[in-house]
Every structure is written in C-alpha cells, then in structure tokens.
Amino acid sequence: MSKAEIPPWGLAIAGSTGAVLANSLVYPLDIVKTRLQVQIKKRPNSSNKLAENDSSATTTNDRHYNGTIHAIQTILEDEGIMGLYSGMAGSLLGVASTNFAYFYWYSTVRTLYLTRVQKNTSAPNTAVELALGAVAGALAQLFTIPIAVVTTRQQTQPKGDKKGLLATAKEVIDSEDGYSGLWRGLKASLVLVVNPAITYGAYQRLKDVIYPGKQILRAHEAFLLGAMSKSLATIATQPLIVAKVGLQSRPPPARNGKPFKSFGEVMAFIIHHEGALGLFKGIGPQILKGLLVQGLLMMTKERLELAFVLLFRYVRMIRKEQLAKLQKIAAEKVAAAAEQTKLVAENVAAKA
C-alpha cells in the first residue's frame, strides 16, 4: 500500500494534528506577529507626526512594540506569561478545523484531477499544483473563517478587556456588521489562498526536485522542505496577511471605531501612516513562525501518514487472514456436506 492510497480523511487528520502540535509550540510568536501587524505608527518624516505619548499610535495597546523581542518583554511585563497565550484555545481550534478542511479538500481535488483529468502517471506541473491548492484553500476558508476572526480579536484585546471565545464572538456579532462580521476579511482570505497554494505547490515541486521518486521522507527532510516552501509563500503574501489582520481586528483609535471595509482600504491606511514598508511589518516573527510551524507540521504529517499506511496494511492483513479462515471454514462445511450426501446416497443404493 502506498501513501497515495490513504483516504482524504486520513490525510486531513494527519495534517490537522501536525498543525495543532506545531502551532501550540510556537503560539507566542503568533501573538507577537499579530500585535506587531495591527499597531499603527506614523512615519518619522510625516508632517502630522503623532506625539510619542499619543495612544492613537497603536491599535489596541497603549505601549508601542519596537520589535519581536521588545514585544515579548512588554507582554510579559504587562500581562504575565499567560499574555503570550491569549486566545490560544480558539486559535488551535481554528488551526485544527482549517487544516483538516484544507488537507481533506486538497487530497480530494488532487485525486479527482489525477484520475479524471490527467490520467497519466506523471506528477502535476507547478501551475496545476497551485490551482489545486487554491481551490482547496478557498473551500476551507468558507467554513473556518469565523474562528479566525474571533481569534484575531482575542489576540489583540487590550489589557483589562480580555474576553473568552464565545464572548468575543458575541462582541463581533453585536457590532455594526452583525453576523456577517464573523466572515470579515473573507475576500482577503480568499485572495490569501495563494499562500497555502504556494506553500504546498512549492513543497511538492521541491520534493520532486530534491528527493525525486521518494514517497516517504525522513523527519528532517520533511522539515526542510516545509520550512523552505512556507518562507517563500510568506514573503510573497505578507502585505495581504497584514491587511487581513487589520480587517479582522478592532479598528485603530485614529478611525474612531470605524472598521475597515476592504483590504485595499487597510493597505492604503497603512501606507499613508507608515509608508510602503509598513505592509511588511511583523514579517520577522511571521517568517520564523511560518518556518517552524510548516517544518514541524510537514514532519509530523509525514510520520502520521506513514503510521496510517502501516495501520491500513495491518488491517488489510487481518481482514485477509479472517477471509482466509472463513473460506477454509466454508470449504470444510462444503466438503462435510458433500461427504454426508455421498454416505446417504450409498445407503440408499445399498437398500435398493
């Protein structure tokens, strides 16, 4: 049995389990990159520069973060160790559901493509891999974006205004957007399906180039490919990631509570206040988090897929043995019946 014969639900379980384990290990980086991405500070050369003590310089916190290390130190000082894990339950729920949906749909649409469109044995080209990943990502986002919206709100809630998962969801629903607020940033998320598409398309392509013909990768090989592919995807899509976070978080104080309507509006606001480089804020922890998460995810996923292969082989072997036993029992019964029929026939013949 090859890895290709694992059913979609098996691949989905392997992918979502790997994602949860990886994200739980690096969750503080997720908090840091989110807060760095939502804070707004005007450019030093701006004519209407904000004062250093102006609270409108940041989005949800009174203190400005100067970088990854400073953000971690400040969060620890203001909120304690638990501040680095704010909203973790919702985040991991979102990670599990999103990755389960993604890997399920990715394996499904890829199998359909290979069996009904490209019926030869060659691997799909890069463009096809990207398209398949984009379709799978779009389907996954439609079902899981409400969790991402609530988690982003939780991660950017100021000190003293922390809420649980359900309370935060209610806050979103009670806003001017109503229930549709749970799908805030959907368009940006659909555009961002190019991120996992680039990630897994690059992963498949790098795998074919670096480890041609190899079905089961070693742990360090899967980690390397996962880290490389995610870094490429993050650099390419960072402005959209920043815009999506801006859409899903509370609006900056400078907007007087008025939420952004589109990721184009978020990007224009950031460029106006911070310049074009503001679209790449938080890219350090974003890449580090993505590198570690994707590396650990693919490493775990490959191990779990191997476990599924071995499990299915064992189940098939047990079924084969049971079938053989049933066939043997059936054959013995048929032979016994035939022998009994023979004896009856002989007795009848003797009496005649």
Side-chain angles (χ1 to χ4, degrees):
M1 184 182 217
S2 67
K3 189 171 73 172
E5 296 178 62
I6 301 176
W9 62 263
L11 294 171
I13 290 175
S16 59
T17 301
V20 168
L21 290 174
N23 278 274
S24 63
L25 291 174
V26 300
Y27 187 76
L29 282 174
D30 195 34
I31 285 281
V32 170
K33 69 91 181 172
T34 300
R35 294 197 181 183
L36 285 173
Q37 288 169 353
V38 299
Q39 70 176 6
I40 302 294
K41 187 175 182 179
K42 291 190 175 182
R43 291 173 290 179
N45 61 349
S46 176
S47 59
N48 55 348
K49 178 183 175 182
L50 293 170
E52 288 299 323
N53 61 354
D54 188 346
S55 62
S56 65
T58 59
T59 302
T60 59
N61 294 276
D62 293 334
R63 299 180 65 180
H64 180 78
Y65 304 131
N66 296 322
T68 303
I69 301 301
H70 181 253
I72 293 174
Q73 293 173 339
T74 304
I75 293 171
L76 286 173
E77 181 180 340
D78 291 347
E79 305 170 43
I81 187 68
M82 295 308 297
L84 292 174
Y85 294 89
S86 179
M88 183 175 179
S91 177
L92 293 184
L93 176 62
V95 164
S97 58
T98 300
N99 281 273
F100 184 93
Y102 179 84
F103 283 108
Y104 180 87
W105 288 114
Y106 181 74
S107 60
T108 299
V109 297
R110 196 172 192 271
T111 300
L112 287 173
Y113 176 82
L114 291 175
T115 55
R116 298 188 180 184
V117 180
Q118 183 175 309
K119 297 183 179 180
N120 55 48
T121 57
S122 61
N125 59 40
T126 303
V128 171
E129 289 285 7
L130 291 175
L132 295 176
V135 171
L139 290 169
Q141 284 295 327
L142 289 173
F143 295 100
T144 60
I145 194 171
I147 301 175
V149 171
V150 174
T151 299
T152 300
R153 286 292 184 95
Q154 282 189 296
Q155 290 178 337
T156 56
Q157 286 168 346
K159 183 180 178 182
D161 194 20
K162 300 291 185 183
K163 295 183 178 69
L165 190 67
L166 295 179
T168 303
K170 185 177 184 301
E171 178 185 87
V172 175
I173 294 171
D174 289 342
S175 68
E176 64 179 64
D177 292 329
Y179 282 96
S180 64
L182 293 173
W183 277 265
R184 172 169 282 278
L186 177 60
K187 291 181 180 179
S189 296
L190 292 178
V191 174
L192 271 171
V193 298
V194 298
N195 187 291
I198 293 172
T199 299
Y200 296 109
Y203 183 89
Q204 290 293 335
R205 190 56 51 207
L206 289 171
K207 181 180 177 181
D208 293 339
V209 172
I210 301 176
Y211 306 110
K214 195 167 186 177
Q215 289 295 316
I216 304 298
L217 298 179
R218 295 178 180 177
H220 71 276
E221 295 171 340
F223 184 95
L224 175 63
L225 291 182
M228 291 172 62
S229 59
K230 190 61 178 181
S231 296
L232 291 172
T234 299
I235 293 171
T237 60
Q238 181 66 8
L240 291 175
I241 293 173
V242 172
K244 177 187 172 184
V245 171
L247 271 174
Q248 295 178 341
S249 64
R250 291 181 178 181
R255 290 179 61 86
N256 298 316
K258 182 183 178 181
F260 293 106
K261 296 298 183 183
S262 67
F263 63 91
E265 188 178 4
V266 180
M267 294 172 75
F269 182 85
I270 292 172
I271 292 173
H272 175 72
H273 287 85
E274 304 176 79
L277 289 179
L279 296 174
F280 290 87
K281 58 186 174 182
I283 194 170
Q286 181 83 49
I287 288 181
L288 179 59
K289 180 219 168 190
L291 185 150
L292 293 174
V293 165
Q294 199 64 31
L296 291 169
L297 188 159
M298 299 310 296
M299 182 175 68
T300 305
K301 178 174 175 288
E302 290 283 344
R303 297 301 94 189
L304 287 174
E305 286 177 351
L306 176 59
F308 273 121
V309 169
L310 297 176
L311 175 63
F312 291 151
R313 282 181 178 176
Y314 177 74
V315 171
R316 289 183 64 189
M317 182 183 70
I318 295 298
R319 286 180 176 177
K320 186 176 180 180
E321 290 177 354
Q322 291 177 339
L323 182 60
K325 288 181 181 179
L326 291 174
Q327 289 175 337
K328 183 179 179 181
I329 292 172
E332 290 175 351
K333 288 183 177 181
V334 170
E339 184 66 24
Q340 186 66 28
T341 302
K342 180 180 178 182
L343 290 174
V344 171
E346 290 176 350
N347 288 336
V348 172
K351 290 179 179 180

